[in-house]
């Protein structure tokens, strides 16, 4: 499958990712361990180039999974990737507890996997291709990278 273009105004960039030396070292302070574990496994599919590893005492933390109370308004995100462009800074995948509360496991897994896609440098995709990187969570939820997501990932990290 060929890579898909980003929605208008977005681009896929290594410089917008949490990747450092071919890996993302992560930590977590979240109650959503199941979705975190799911998303780390989903993005470590056969052929994935970027390694996702827990942070250790001798490494630099690249990404932290964290919860926050973001409200339930229509404008409130279910989850979000927050990039800190500082040298040696930690980026975040943040889960909005208010929006995630009471949701299905598939919905939570979709939100987590989508945000890790952003941490890997991927952009949002339009609705003409089946993609984890759609701007909204599909119904039923897409819980792992699809063929087009893998094609975009491969193009970015070849």
């Amino acid at each position: 499958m060929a890579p898909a273009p980003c929605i208008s105004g977005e681009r896929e960039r290594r410089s917008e990712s949490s990747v450092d030396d071919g890996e993302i070292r992560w930590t977590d302070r979240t109650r959503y361990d199941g979705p975190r574990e799911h998303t780390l496994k989903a993005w470590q599919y056969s052929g994935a180039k970027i390694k996702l590893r827990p942070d250790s005492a001798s490494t630099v933390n690249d990404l932290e999974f964290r919860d926050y109370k973001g409200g339930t308004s229509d404008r409130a995100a279910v989850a979000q990737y927050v990039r800190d462009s500082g040298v040696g800074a930690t980026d975040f995948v943040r889960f909005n507890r208010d929006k995630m509360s009471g949701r299905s496991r598939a919905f939570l897994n979709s939100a987590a996997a989508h945000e890790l896609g952003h941490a890997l440098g991927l952009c949002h995709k339009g609705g003409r291709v089946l993609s984890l990187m759609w701007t909204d969570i599909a119904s039923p939820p897409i819980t792992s990278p699809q063929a087009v997501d893998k094609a975009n990932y491969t193009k970015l990290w070849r």
Side-chain angles (χ1 to χ4, degrees):
M1 167 156 290
C6 299
I7 62 170
S8 180
E10 292 188 21
R11 292 189 331 187
E12 292 182 331
R13 299 181 205 162
R14 289 180 179 203
S15 63
E16 294 295 318
S17 74
S18 297
V19 177
D20 182 21
D21 292 329
E23 67 181 9
I24 294 178
R25 291 290 182 151
W26 59 268
T27 57
D28 76 296
R29 291 184 184 159
T30 178
R31 65 174 60 173
Y32 300 103
D33 287 335
R36 176 191 44 79
E37 291 169 6
H38 164 82
T39 195
L40 291 167
K41 288 177 187 171
W43 281 106
Q44 289 294 256
Y45 59 86
S46 176
K49 184 174 181 178
I50 306 303
K51 302 300 178 206
L52 306 172
R53 297 182 173 128
D55 191 33
S56 70
S58 63
T59 59
V60 175
N61 183 26
D62 302 309
L63 184 68
E64 183 175 307
F65 292 88
R66 181 181 279 185
D67 300 340
Y68 74 108
K69 294 184 71 57
T72 59
S73 75
D74 289 343
R75 296 188 59 138
V78 171
Q80 58 188 203
Y81 170 63
V82 180
R83 171 99 171 104
D84 186 333
S85 59
V87 175
T90 301
D91 302 330
F92 296 91
V93 168
R94 297 177 54 204
F95 300 124
N96 180 349
R97 292 187 320 210
D98 297 324
K99 284 271 196 162
M100 290 183 73
S101 178
R103 300 288 190 145
S104 71
R105 174 66 68 162
F107 184 94
L108 301 178
N109 288 348
S110 180
H114 173 94
E115 297 308 328
L116 188 57
H118 288 311
L120 288 163
L122 300 180
C123 65
H124 288 118
K125 303 294 182 256
R128 296 192 184 268
V129 295
L130 183 63
S131 174
L132 175 64
M133 300 309 296
W134 282 342
T135 56
D136 293 317
I137 294 175
S139 181
I142 298 170
T143 60
S144 60
Q146 301 298 293
V148 71
D149 302 313
K150 292 176 182 180
N152 282 79
Y153 172 100
T154 299
K155 180 181 175 188
L156 183 63
W157 295 106
R158 62 177 151 211

mmCIF file of all heavy atoms in Angstrom, residues 58-88:
data_model
loop_
_atom_site.group_PDB
_atom_site.id
_atom_site.type_symbol
_atom_site.label_atom_id
_atom_site.label_comp_id
_atom_site.label_asym_id
_atom_site.label_seq_id
_atom_site.Cartn_x
_atom_site.Cartn_y
_atom_site.Cartn_z
ATOM 1 N N SER A 58 19.815 4.846 33.302
ATOM 2 C CA SER A 58 20.937 5.279 32.466
ATOM 3 C C SER A 58 20.505 5.840 31.099
ATOM 4 O O SER A 58 21.338 6.046 30.234
ATOM 5 C CB SER A 58 21.904 4.111 32.259
ATOM 6 O OG SER A 58 21.263 3.065 31.563
ATOM 7 N N THR A 59 19.193 6.074 30.907
ATOM 8 C CA THR A 59 18.707 6.612 29.632
ATOM 9 C C THR A 59 17.920 7.903 29.871
ATOM 10 O O THR A 59 17.567 8.230 30.988
ATOM 11 C CB THR A 59 17.804 5.597 28.902
ATOM 12 O OG1 THR A 59 16.682 5.279 29.730
ATOM 13 C CG2 THR A 59 18.578 4.331 28.554
ATOM 14 N N VAL A 60 17.660 8.603 28.780
ATOM 15 C CA VAL A 60 16.873 9.835 28.837
ATOM 16 C C VAL A 60 15.425 9.509 28.496
ATOM 17 O O VAL A 60 15.153 8.873 27.479
ATOM 18 C CB VAL A 60 17.427 10.890 27.840
ATOM 19 C CG1 VAL A 60 16.539 12.119 27.813
ATOM 20 C CG2 VAL A 60 18.857 11.252 28.201
ATOM 21 N N ASN A 61 14.512 9.943 29.350
ATOM 22 C CA ASN A 61 13.085 9.719 29.125
ATOM 23 C C ASN A 61 12.611 10.587 27.963
ATOM 24 O O ASN A 61 12.682 11.809 28.023
ATOM 25 C CB ASN A 61 12.314 10.062 30.407
ATOM 26 C CG ASN A 61 10.840 9.795 30.291
ATOM 27 O OD1 ASN A 61 10.418 8.952 29.518
ATOM 28 N ND2 ASN A 61 10.047 10.514 31.053
ATOM 29 N N ASP A 62 12.108 9.961 26.898
ATOM 30 C CA ASP A 62 11.635 10.683 25.722
ATOM 31 C C ASP A 62 10.141 10.976 25.777
ATOM 32 O O ASP A 62 9.685 11.983 25.244
ATOM 33 C CB ASP A 62 11.913 9.874 24.449
ATOM 34 C CG ASP A 62 13.385 9.568 24.275
ATOM 35 O OD1 ASP A 62 14.199 10.503 24.359
ATOM 36 O OD2 ASP A 62 13.716 8.383 24.056
ATOM 37 N N LEU A 63 9.379 10.076 26.384
ATOM 38 C CA LEU A 63 7.924 10.167 26.352
ATOM 39 C C LEU A 63 7.342 9.668 27.666
ATOM 40 O O LEU A 63 7.770 8.635 28.176
ATOM 41 C CB LEU A 63 7.383 9.310 25.199
ATOM 42 C CG LEU A 63 5.888 9.337 24.937
ATOM 43 C CD1 LEU A 63 5.450 10.710 24.421
ATOM 44 C CD2 LEU A 63 5.510 8.246 23.941
ATOM 45 N N GLU A 64 6.380 10.400 28.184
ATOM 46 C CA GLU A 64 5.688 9.977 29.403
ATOM 47 C C GLU A 64 4.197 9.872 29.121
ATOM 48 O O GLU A 64 3.612 10.768 28.526
ATOM 49 C CB GLU A 64 5.920 10.974 30.533
ATOM 50 C CG GLU A 64 5.277 10.544 31.833
ATOM 51 C CD GLU A 64 5.609 11.471 32.985
ATOM 52 O OE1 GLU A 64 6.815 11.716 33.215
ATOM 53 O OE2 GLU A 64 4.671 11.941 33.634
ATOM 54 N N PHE A 65 3.608 8.753 29.542
ATOM 55 C CA PHE A 65 2.161 8.580 29.487
ATOM 56 C C PHE A 65 1.607 9.127 30.796
ATOM 57 O O PHE A 65 2.035 8.713 31.875
ATOM 58 C CB PHE A 65 1.801 7.100 29.341
ATOM 59 C CG PHE A 65 2.204 6.517 28.016
ATOM 60 C CD1 PHE A 65 3.471 5.969 27.847
ATOM 61 C CD2 PHE A 65 1.324 6.498 26.954
ATOM 62 C CE1 PHE A 65 3.840 5.418 26.631
ATOM 63 C CE2 PHE A 65 1.694 5.955 25.728
ATOM 64 C CZ PHE A 65 2.955 5.414 25.570
ATOM 65 N N ARG A 66 0.638 10.042 30.702
ATOM 66 C CA ARG A 66 0.143 10.732 31.891
ATOM 67 C C ARG A 66 -1.354 11.007 31.747
ATOM 68 O O ARG A 66 -1.848 11.196 30.649
ATOM 69 C CB ARG A 66 0.901 12.039 32.065
ATOM 70 C CG ARG A 66 0.490 12.841 33.268
ATOM 71 C CD ARG A 66 1.260 14.123 33.345
ATOM 72 N NE ARG A 66 2.569 13.858 33.919
ATOM 73 C CZ ARG A 66 3.435 14.800 34.207
ATOM 74 N NH1 ARG A 66 3.173 16.064 33.948
ATOM 75 N NH2 ARG A 66 4.592 14.497 34.735
ATOM 76 N N ASP A 67 -2.055 11.078 32.878
ATOM 77 C CA ASP A 67 -3.478 11.420 32.909
ATOM 78 C C ASP A 67 -3.652 12.886 33.256
ATOM 79 O O ASP A 67 -2.792 13.490 33.885
ATOM 80 C CB ASP A 67 -4.210 10.591 33.960
ATOM 81 C CG ASP A 67 -4.118 9.094 33.719
ATOM 82 O OD1 ASP A 67 -3.828 8.687 32.579
ATOM 83 O OD2 ASP A 67 -4.338 8.340 34.684
ATOM 84 N N TYR A 68 -4.784 13.431 32.857
ATOM 85 C CA TYR A 68 -5.163 14.783 33.267
ATOM 86 C C TYR A 68 -6.683 14.894 33.261
ATOM 87 O O TYR A 68 -7.366 14.043 32.689
ATOM 88 C CB TYR A 68 -4.530 15.839 32.361
ATOM 89 C CG TYR A 68 -5.123 15.972 30.982
ATOM 90 C CD1 TYR A 68 -5.903 17.082 30.648
ATOM 91 C CD2 TYR A 68 -4.921 15.015 30.008
ATOM 92 C CE1 TYR A 68 -6.454 17.215 29.374
ATOM 93 C CE2 TYR A 68 -5.462 15.139 28.742
ATOM 94 C CZ TYR A 68 -6.227 16.234 28.429
ATOM 95 O OH TYR A 68 -6.763 16.366 27.178
ATOM 96 N N LYS A 69 -7.208 15.884 33.918
ATOM 97 C CA LYS A 69 -8.641 16.147 33.924
ATOM 98 C C LYS A 69 -8.896 17.272 32.932
ATOM 99 O O LYS A 69 -8.611 18.419 33.219
ATOM 100 C CB LYS A 69 -9.111 16.518 35.325
ATOM 101 C CG LYS A 69 -8.983 15.344 36.313
ATOM 102 C CD LYS A 69 -9.524 15.644 37.668
ATOM 103 C CE LYS A 69 -11.003 15.754 37.753
ATOM 104 N NZ LYS A 69 -11.836 14.666 37.328
ATOM 105 N N GLY A 70 -9.428 16.905 31.761
ATOM 106 C CA GLY A 70 -9.612 17.866 30.686
ATOM 107 C C GLY A 70 -11.044 18.235 30.390
ATOM 108 O O GLY A 70 -11.308 18.947 29.431
ATOM 109 N N GLY A 71 -11.981 17.734 31.183
ATOM 110 C CA GLY A 71 -13.377 18.055 30.963
ATOM 111 C C GLY A 71 -14.022 17.200 29.894
ATOM 112 O O GLY A 71 -13.366 16.380 29.249
ATOM 113 N N THR A 72 -15.324 17.403 29.708
ATOM 114 C CA THR A 72 -16.095 16.579 28.776
ATOM 115 C C THR A 72 -16.731 17.379 27.645
ATOM 116 O O THR A 72 -17.560 16.852 26.913
ATOM 117 C CB THR A 72 -17.207 15.820 29.534
ATOM 118 O OG1 THR A 72 -18.058 16.781 30.182
ATOM 119 C CG2 THR A 72 -16.627 14.851 30.547
ATOM 120 N N SER A 73 -16.345 18.618 27.490
ATOM 121 C CA SER A 73 -16.937 19.429 26.413
ATOM 122 C C SER A 73 -16.609 18.828 25.050
ATOM 123 O O SER A 73 -15.694 18.019 24.912
ATOM 124 C CB SER A 73 -16.419 20.867 26.477
ATOM 125 O OG SER A 73 -15.090 20.935 26.005
ATOM 126 N N ASP A 74 -17.366 19.229 24.041
ATOM 127 C CA ASP A 74 -17.127 18.736 22.681
ATOM 128 C C ASP A 74 -15.721 19.072 22.196
ATOM 129 O O ASP A 74 -15.143 18.348 21.394
ATOM 130 C CB ASP A 74 -18.146 19.325 21.700
ATOM 131 C CG ASP A 74 -19.537 18.743 21.897
ATOM 132 O OD1 ASP A 74 -19.653 17.688 22.548
ATOM 133 O OD2 ASP A 74 -20.503 19.348 21.405
ATOM 134 N N ARG A 75 -15.166 20.166 22.676
ATOM 135 C CA ARG A 75 -13.823 20.589 22.252
ATOM 136 C C ARG A 75 -12.698 19.880 23.006
ATOM 137 O O ARG A 75 -11.546 19.946 22.601
ATOM 138 C CB ARG A 75 -13.687 22.095 22.423
ATOM 139 C CG ARG A 75 -14.652 22.840 21.507
ATOM 140 C CD ARG A 75 -14.367 24.283 21.549
ATOM 141 N NE ARG A 75 -12.990 24.484 21.111
ATOM 142 C CZ ARG A 75 -12.593 25.430 20.307
ATOM 143 N NH1 ARG A 75 -13.447 26.296 19.863
ATOM 144 N NH2 ARG A 75 -11.325 25.543 19.961
ATOM 145 N N ALA A 76 -13.031 19.243 24.122
ATOM 146 C CA ALA A 76 -12.009 18.556 24.925
ATOM 147 C C ALA A 76 -11.542 17.294 24.203
ATOM 148 O O ALA A 76 -12.356 16.506 23.719
ATOM 149 C CB ALA A 76 -12.555 18.202 26.302
ATOM 150 N N ALA A 77 -10.240 17.110 24.141
ATOM 151 C CA ALA A 77 -9.663 15.926 23.499
ATOM 152 C C ALA A 77 -9.804 14.706 24.403
ATOM 153 O O ALA A 77 -9.782 14.826 25.627
ATOM 154 C CB ALA A 77 -8.190 16.167 23.200
ATOM 155 N N VAL A 78 -9.932 13.538 23.801
ATOM 156 C CA VAL A 78 -9.925 12.282 24.552
ATOM 157 C C VAL A 78 -8.506 12.023 25.048
ATOM 158 O O VAL A 78 -8.281 11.621 26.182
ATOM 159 C CB VAL A 78 -10.410 11.112 23.667
ATOM 160 C CG1 VAL A 78 -10.210 9.782 24.359
ATOM 161 C CG2 VAL A 78 -11.861 11.321 23.282
ATOM 162 N N ALA A 79 -7.551 12.273 24.180
ATOM 163 C CA ALA A 79 -6.133 12.106 24.494
ATOM 164 C C ALA A 79 -5.366 13.053 23.582
ATOM 165 O O ALA A 79 -5.906 13.544 22.597
ATOM 166 C CB ALA A 79 -5.696 10.660 24.266
ATOM 167 N N GLN A 80 -4.103 13.308 23.926
ATOM 168 C CA GLN A 80 -3.315 14.211 23.092
ATOM 169 C C GLN A 80 -1.826 13.926 23.230
ATOM 170 O O GLN A 80 -1.367 13.438 24.256
ATOM 171 C CB GLN A 80 -3.601 15.671 23.426
ATOM 172 C CG GLN A 80 -3.353 16.037 24.851
ATOM 173 C CD GLN A 80 -3.814 17.444 25.213
ATOM 174 O OE1 GLN A 80 -3.296 17.975 26.156
ATOM 175 N NE2 GLN A 80 -4.745 18.024 24.517
ATOM 176 N N TYR A 81 -1.129 14.207 22.151
ATOM 177 C CA TYR A 81 0.330 14.156 22.145
ATOM 178 C C TYR A 81 0.818 15.583 22.324
ATOM 179 O O TYR A 81 0.407 16.481 21.590
ATOM 180 C CB TYR A 81 0.844 13.577 20.823
ATOM 181 C CG TYR A 81 2.334 13.709 20.622
ATOM 182 C CD1 TYR A 81 3.231 13.084 21.477
ATOM 183 C CD2 TYR A 81 2.838 14.465 19.569
ATOM 184 C CE1 TYR A 81 4.601 13.207 21.286
ATOM 185 C CE2 TYR A 81 4.204 14.586 19.370
ATOM 186 C CZ TYR A 81 5.080 13.959 20.236
ATOM 187 O OH TYR A 81 6.437 14.080 20.044
ATOM 188 N N VAL A 82 1.676 15.790 23.298
ATOM 189 C CA VAL A 82 2.214 17.116 23.594
ATOM 190 C C VAL A 82 3.722 17.056 23.414
ATOM 191 O O VAL A 82 4.416 16.350 24.151
ATOM 192 C CB VAL A 82 1.856 17.569 25.029
ATOM 193 C CG1 VAL A 82 2.428 18.945 25.309
ATOM 194 C CG2 VAL A 82 0.350 17.547 25.233
ATOM 195 N N ARG A 83 4.203 17.791 22.439
ATOM 196 C CA ARG A 83 5.631 17.818 22.107
ATOM 197 C C ARG A 83 6.307 18.972 22.825
ATOM 198 O O ARG A 83 5.838 20.101 22.794
ATOM 199 C CB ARG A 83 5.778 17.994 20.588
ATOM 200 C CG ARG A 83 7.182 18.262 20.135
ATOM 201 C CD ARG A 83 7.847 17.019 19.631
ATOM 202 N NE ARG A 83 9.114 17.356 19.013
ATOM 203 C CZ ARG A 83 10.291 17.141 19.616
ATOM 204 N NH1 ARG A 83 10.345 16.568 20.784
ATOM 205 N NH2 ARG A 83 11.405 17.472 19.011
ATOM 206 N N ASP A 84 7.416 18.677 23.494
ATOM 207 C CA ASP A 84 8.256 19.707 24.102
ATOM 208 C C ASP A 84 9.540 19.743 23.288
ATOM 209 O O ASP A 84 10.301 18.789 23.288
ATOM 210 C CB ASP A 84 8.561 19.382 25.558
ATOM 211 C CG ASP A 84 9.316 20.484 26.266
ATOM 212 O OD1 ASP A 84 10.036 21.251 25.597
ATOM 213 O OD2 ASP A 84 9.206 20.583 27.491
ATOM 214 N N SER A 85 9.768 20.826 22.581
ATOM 215 C CA SER A 85 10.879 20.880 21.630
ATOM 216 C C SER A 85 12.230 21.163 22.274
ATOM 217 O O SER A 85 13.230 21.263 21.577
ATOM 218 C CB SER A 85 10.590 21.933 20.558
ATOM 219 O OG SER A 85 10.417 23.196 21.150
ATOM 220 N N GLY A 86 12.293 21.261 23.578
ATOM 221 C CA GLY A 86 13.573 21.523 24.230
ATOM 222 C C GLY A 86 14.530 20.343 24.143
ATOM 223 O O GLY A 86 14.121 19.189 24.040
ATOM 224 N N VAL A 87 15.827 20.629 24.195
ATOM 225 C CA VAL A 87 16.845 19.585 24.155
ATOM 226 C C VAL A 87 16.727 18.720 25.415
ATOM 227 O O VAL A 87 16.700 19.234 26.529
ATOM 228 C CB VAL A 87 18.261 20.199 24.058
ATOM 229 C CG1 VAL A 87 19.321 19.115 24.131
ATOM 230 C CG2 VAL A 87 18.392 21.017 22.790
ATOM 231 N N GLY A 88 16.626 17.418 25.225
ATOM 232 C CA GLY A 88 16.519 16.494 26.346
ATOM 233 C C GLY A 88 15.187 16.567 27.062
ATOM 234 O O GLY A 88 15.038 16.026 28.151
#
